[in-house]
């Protein structure tokens, strides 16, 4: 919702900037002499340019309007320009019906339906008073500053959305360690052996890190820890898990368990399994 609101704000601000620059253009000859007692969704207003009636819509393609004149006859020669439907002449009464069935009737309340000569109006309104010019310049500067701020906020929100759309790395799933008898790299013992096999078959990667207790030579224990990881890998491969996605490493002597007790040493004789 925030992104949609900011986008709308940008469009509105751009429209204001466009209005602020009209001080350098020929003054408008449009006359807003049409009134209606009801409103129709999607229809903004009716006005004329001195010779033709013009109807403005929120979205002309969506509105799909039809028009009838004072006698109830359909008006066929309609020129579509952006949000505007330009009719072939000025009408005393105009009925507008949208594609959704909504209807609005506009009545002309001006002094004359005859085409207007706007030459006098052009002559008398060409010069813009200095005070009015300064006000318009100030308003234009303020609007442009608001536009810059809105665009910066929009860019920030887009960046946040792009970041949120990026796939986030999932933490590795931990499976209960696989334990070994002292000095052995054989005899898989795990209460989660079936779960390990099922997850390993579906995983992208399987990481195995073997460990030993502190009994014996450190270098020998390093080799033994690697052998234990390889033993688990071979056990998985012989049961249908692809070898290419399994890595086996030796972590050497573990210290998580107390190596001075049998329970602690048993805890350290293991292979840790991480599955992604």
């Amino acid at each position: 919702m925030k992104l949609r609101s900011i986008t709308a704000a940008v469009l509105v601000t751009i429209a204001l900037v466009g209005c602020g620059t009209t001080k350098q253009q020929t003054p408008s000859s449009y006359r807003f002499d049409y009134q209606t007692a009801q409103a129709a969704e999607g229809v903004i207003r009716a006005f004329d340019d001195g010779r033709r009636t013009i109807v403005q819509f929120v979205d002309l393609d969506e509105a799909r309007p039809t028009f009838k004149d004072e006698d109830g006859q359909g008006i066929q020669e309609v020129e579509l320009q952006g949000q505007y439907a330009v009719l072939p002449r000025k009408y005393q009464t105009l009925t507008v019906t949208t594609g959704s069935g909504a209807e609005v009737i506009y009545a002309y309340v001006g002094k004359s339906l005859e085409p207007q000569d706007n030459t006098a109006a052009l002559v008398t309104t060409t010069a813009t008073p200095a005070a009015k010019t300064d006000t318009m310049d100030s308003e234009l500067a303020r609007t442009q500053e608001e536009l810059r701020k809105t665009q910066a906020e929009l860019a920030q929100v887009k960046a946040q959305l792009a970041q949120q759309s990026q796939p986030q790395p999932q933490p590795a799933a931990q499976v209960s360690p696989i334990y070994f008898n002292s000095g052995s790299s054989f005899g898989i013992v795990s209460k989660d052996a079936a779960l390990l096999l099922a997850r390993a078959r579906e995983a992208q990667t399987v990481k195995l890190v073997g460990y030993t207790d502190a009994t014996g030579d450190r270098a020998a224990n390093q080799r033994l820890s690697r052998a234990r990881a390889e033993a688990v890998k071979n056990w998985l491969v012989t049961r249908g898990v692809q070898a290419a996605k399994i890595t086996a490493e030796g972590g050497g002597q573990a210290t998580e368990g107390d190596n001075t007790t049998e329970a602690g040493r048993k805890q350290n004789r293991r292979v840790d399994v991480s599955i992604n």
Side-chain angles (χ1 to χ4, degrees), residues 20-33:
T21 58
T22 57
K23 67 185 182 66
Q24 298 177 347
Q25 300 175 351
T26 302
S28 172
S29 61
Y30 295 140
R31 297 175 179 270
F32 298 88
D33 291 332

Side-chain angles (χ1 to χ4, degrees), residues 46-263:
F47 55 98
D48 72 88
D49 62 357
R51 294 182 179 275
R52 298 169 297 180
T53 300
I54 303 170
V55 183
Q56 184 181 6
F57 297 85
V58 174
D59 188 324
L60 191 55
D61 291 335
E62 183 177 341
R64 295 178 286 110
T66 57
F67 306 91
K68 293 182 181 179
D69 60 17
E70 302 90 337
D71 300 323
Q73 300 298 315
I75 303 173
Q76 303 299 326
E77 298 179 2
V78 180
E79 181 181 349
L80 305 181
Q81 299 180 7
Q83 290 181 276
Y84 304 96
V86 183
L87 307 183
R89 63 176 176 84
K90 288 172 64 176
Y91 293 87
Q92 181 71 47
T93 304
L94 176 68
T95 302
V96 182
T97 305
T98 66
S100 64
E103 184 178 87
V104 58
I105 301 175
Y106 286 103
Y108 184 79
V109 295
K111 294 181 179 181
S112 174
L113 279 176
E114 296 301 320
Q116 302 295 318
D117 183 358
N118 293 293
T119 304
L122 293 178
V123 173
T124 57
T125 60
T126 299
T128 303
K132 184 175 180 181
T133 300
D134 292 341
T135 300
M136 295 175 67
D137 287 341
S138 176
E139 178 67 16
L140 176 59
R142 184 186 65 80
T143 303
Q144 289 175 332
E145 179 61 24
E146 291 179 354
L147 174 60
R148 283 191 291 269
K149 290 180 180 179
T150 303
Q151 288 174 330
E153 187 176 356
L154 176 61
Q156 183 179 5
V157 172
K158 285 184 175 180
Q160 292 174 351
L161 291 177
Q163 184 177 6
Q164 293 174 3
S165 66
Q166 295 297 322
Q168 300 299 317
Q170 298 298 320
Q174 297 294 325
V175 178
S176 295
I178 299 170
Y179 296 101
F180 292 79
N181 296 322
S182 180
S184 172
S185 62
F186 301 96
I188 303 300
V189 179
S190 174
K191 64 180 181 180
D192 290 338
L195 176 62
L196 166 62
L197 186 59
R199 289 188 175 179
R201 286 171 174 168
E202 298 175 357
Q204 297 292 326
T205 60
V206 179
K207 183 178 180 180
L208 307 172
V209 183
Y211 296 95
T212 70
D213 58 27
T215 304
D217 178 67
R218 183 178 294 273
N221 283 336
Q222 177 64 41
R223 293 191 294 273
L224 179 58
S225 67
R226 174 63 182 268
R228 285 174 173 169
E230 290 290 347
V232 177
K233 177 179 179 179
N234 292 336
W235 183 83
L236 292 172
V237 170
T238 58
R239 286 160 178 78
V241 181
Q242 295 179 3
K245 66 181 181 181
I246 305 175
T247 59
E249 302 175 4
Q253 296 178 356
T255 59
E256 287 83 351
D258 185 355
N259 280 300
T260 64
T261 67
E262 177 56 33

